[in-house]
Amino acid sequence: MSDVHQVRTALGRRLRGLRTSASLSGKSLAESLGWPSSKISKIEHGKQTPTAEDITAWARTCGAEASASELLSLLGNLETLYAEWQRILRAGTGKRQQTYQEIEASTRTLRVFESLLIPGLLQTPDYARVRLAENIELWGGVNDLDEGVRQRMRRQEILYDSSRRFYFVLSEAALRTLLCPPQVMAGQLERLIALSLSQTLKVGIIPFSTVLPISPKHGFWIYDDRLATAETVTAELHLTQPDEIEHYRRVFDAVSGVAHYGSDARQIITKALSDLAATLN
């Protein structure tokens, strides 16, 4: 969720402001608190959420006890937003798919990188059913699996809009990791081969043998130049800061530059399908 990231970033900036106002370096503050220096950096850059005790100790060490209550309020907002994200997941998969559809409807160019699974816009109904069922099992709540699959398939209609452009880059691992029954994966690979022939989207595959110019860390989606999203186990980040989006764009350009496309990509997919078929016989 974009608000989660924004609030955590704002909290980190406020804490960094207290430190600099107290003329403390990150190292000296860490030593005073008995923390590793990396913890200071992670908190200040919005990569780690401090606890209430962390905030209180930080403010006290910086001689800014009066600021603690406001910072604790920010922390409370952050925890509320995470709870809201979990509530959305429990509200049902169909509702979540509709949210994605709204974002995609306002997007002209979509860039997607996935290292382990097939992106939702490229999934077959059977593959999507397994993925969405996993979410329901993990989070509980409304079991609207059929509606979730229907909405995910409805999202795919946008792929045939010739006024838009779609770029998908997948690691070969996404073709070979069985996150579903083998028969379902076989159908998914056949679907990928067909999609690779489309005029409105481009499918790139990064073979196992490729030396990557950069570590992409995780899968992510970039919507035009206004939004980048990335999922964790417990939350989804919606990043809207231009410098963050630019960073994701640089990573995408790097991995897409070493991917194989067209007939070369289809050859890699076909080989994965052939190897999978051999295990079914």
Side-chain angles (χ1 to χ4, degrees), residues 151-200:
Q151 291 294 343
R152 178 161 288 185
M153 295 304 102
R154 184 180 178 187
R155 284 172 56 200
Q156 296 181 4
E157 295 174 4
I158 201 171
L159 296 176
Y160 304 100
D161 184 342
S162 60
S163 68
R164 305 173 195 267
R165 289 295 176 266
F166 304 90
Y167 302 91
F168 297 91
V169 176
L170 312 178
S171 164
E172 185 176 346
L175 312 179
R176 294 180 175 274
T177 303
L178 290 178
L179 299 176
C180 60
Q183 296 87 346
V184 172
M185 192 65 186
Q188 179 62 70
L189 294 177
E190 291 173 350
R191 167 72 168 158
L192 274 183
I193 292 172
L195 287 170
S196 72
L197 296 167
S198 172
Q199 298 299 309
T200 58

Side-chain angles (χ1 to χ4, degrees), residues 108-140:
R108 310 312 299 179
T109 301
L110 177 63
R111 296 173 176 86
V112 178
F113 170 76
E114 289 290 356
S115 60
L116 196 61
L117 53 80
I118 307 301
L121 285 176
L122 306 183
Q123 292 176 4
T124 64
D126 288 340
Y127 188 98
R129 180 171 294 275
V130 175
R131 301 269 51 75
L132 295 174
E134 180 182 289
N135 286 341
I136 293 172
E137 175 67 22
L138 179 63
W139 292 103

Side-chain angles (χ1 to χ4, degrees), residues 69-127:
S69 60
E70 182 181 354
L71 295 171
L72 290 171
S73 178
L74 276 175
L75 177 62
N77 290 339
L78 182 60
E79 292 171 342
T80 298
L81 288 168
Y82 266 112
E84 174 68 7
W85 167 243
Q86 295 180 358
R87 186 195 65 77
I88 290 172
L89 290 175
R90 294 191 183 104
T93 60
K95 191 179 184 75
R96 190 179 178 202
Q97 295 306 306
Q98 289 174 355
T99 299
Y100 290 146
Q101 186 175 27
E102 292 171 2
I103 297 173
E104 290 155 1
S106 61
T107 301
R108 310 312 299 179
T109 301
L110 177 63
R111 296 173 176 86
V112 178
F113 170 76
E114 289 290 356
S115 60
L116 196 61
L117 53 80
I118 307 301
L121 285 176
L122 306 183
Q123 292 176 4
T124 64
D126 288 340
Y127 188 98

Side-chain angles (χ1 to χ4, degrees), residues 2-266:
S2 59
D3 289 344
V4 169
H5 182 73
Q6 290 169 1
V7 172
R8 185 163 55 191
T9 300
L11 180 57
R13 287 174 178 165
R14 290 295 309 279
L15 288 167
R16 182 169 65 248
L18 295 186
R19 176 179 61 77
T20 56
S21 294
S23 299
L24 292 172
S25 67
K27 181 179 180 180
S28 60
L29 177 60
E31 290 176 349
S32 297
L33 293 170
W35 298 350
S37 296
S38 59
K39 180 174 178 177
I40 300 294
S41 177
K42 288 178 181 178
I43 289 175
E44 291 187 349
H45 289 88
K47 295 181 179 179
Q48 179 176 331
T49 302
T51 65
E53 291 76 14
D54 291 341
I55 290 174
T56 300
W58 188 307
R60 182 176 60 251
T61 303
C62 293
E65 292 90 339
S67 299
S69 60
E70 182 181 354
L71 295 171
L72 290 171
S73 178
L74 276 175
L75 177 62
N77 290 339
L78 182 60
E79 292 171 342
T80 298
L81 288 168
Y82 266 112
E84 174 68 7
W85 167 243
Q86 295 180 358
R87 186 195 65 77
I88 290 172
L89 290 175
R90 294 191 183 104
T93 60
K95 191 179 184 75
R96 190 179 178 202
Q97 295 306 306
Q98 289 174 355
T99 299
Y100 290 146
Q101 186 175 27
E102 292 171 2
I103 297 173
E104 290 155 1
S106 61
T107 301
R108 310 312 299 179
T109 301
L110 177 63
R111 296 173 176 86
V112 178
F113 170 76
E114 289 290 356
S115 60
L116 196 61
L117 53 80
I118 307 301
L121 285 176
L122 306 183
Q123 292 176 4
T124 64
D126 288 340
Y127 188 98
R129 180 171 294 275
V130 175
R131 301 269 51 75
L132 295 174
E134 180 182 289
N135 286 341
I136 293 172
E137 175 67 22
L138 179 63
W139 292 103
V142 177
N143 186 345
D144 63 342
L145 183 56
D146 290 340
E147 176 64 10
V149 173
R150 188 181 74 83
Q151 291 294 343
R152 178 161 288 185
M153 295 304 102
R154 184 180 178 187
R155 284 172 56 200
Q156 296 181 4
E157 295 174 4
I158 201 171
L159 296 176
Y160 304 100
D161 184 342
S162 60
S163 68
R164 305 173 195 267
R165 289 295 176 266
F166 304 90
Y167 302 91
F168 297 91
V169 176
L170 312 178
S171 164
E172 185 176 346
L175 312 179
R176 294 180 175 274
T177 303
L178 290 178
L179 299 176
C180 60
Q183 296 87 346
V184 172
M185 192 65 186
Q188 179 62 70
L189 294 177
E190 291 173 350
R191 167 72 168 158
L192 274 183
I193 292 172
L195 287 170
S196 72
L197 296 167
S198 172
Q199 298 299 309
T200 58
L201 61 89
K202 194 172 183 180
V203 177
I205 306 296
I206 303 175
F208 283 135
S209 59
T210 303
V211 177
L212 291 174
I214 193 170
S215 171
K217 309 297 186 187
H218 52 72
F220 56 86
W221 296 48
I222 306 173
Y223 301 84
D224 296 324
D225 291 319
R226 60 188 173 82
L227 172 67
T229 66
E231 289 189 24
T232 71
V233 173
T234 58
E236 179 177 84
L237 298 180
H238 283 209
L239 311 176
T240 57
Q241 295 299 316
D243 58 334
E244 291 183 307
I245 296 172
E246 175 59 26
H247 183 77
Y248 275 93
R249 178 65 183 274
R250 290 200 302 270
V251 173
F252 183 85
D253 288 346
V255 295
S256 64
V258 296
H260 292 216
Y261 300 90
S263 60
D264 289 341
R266 285 190 288 277

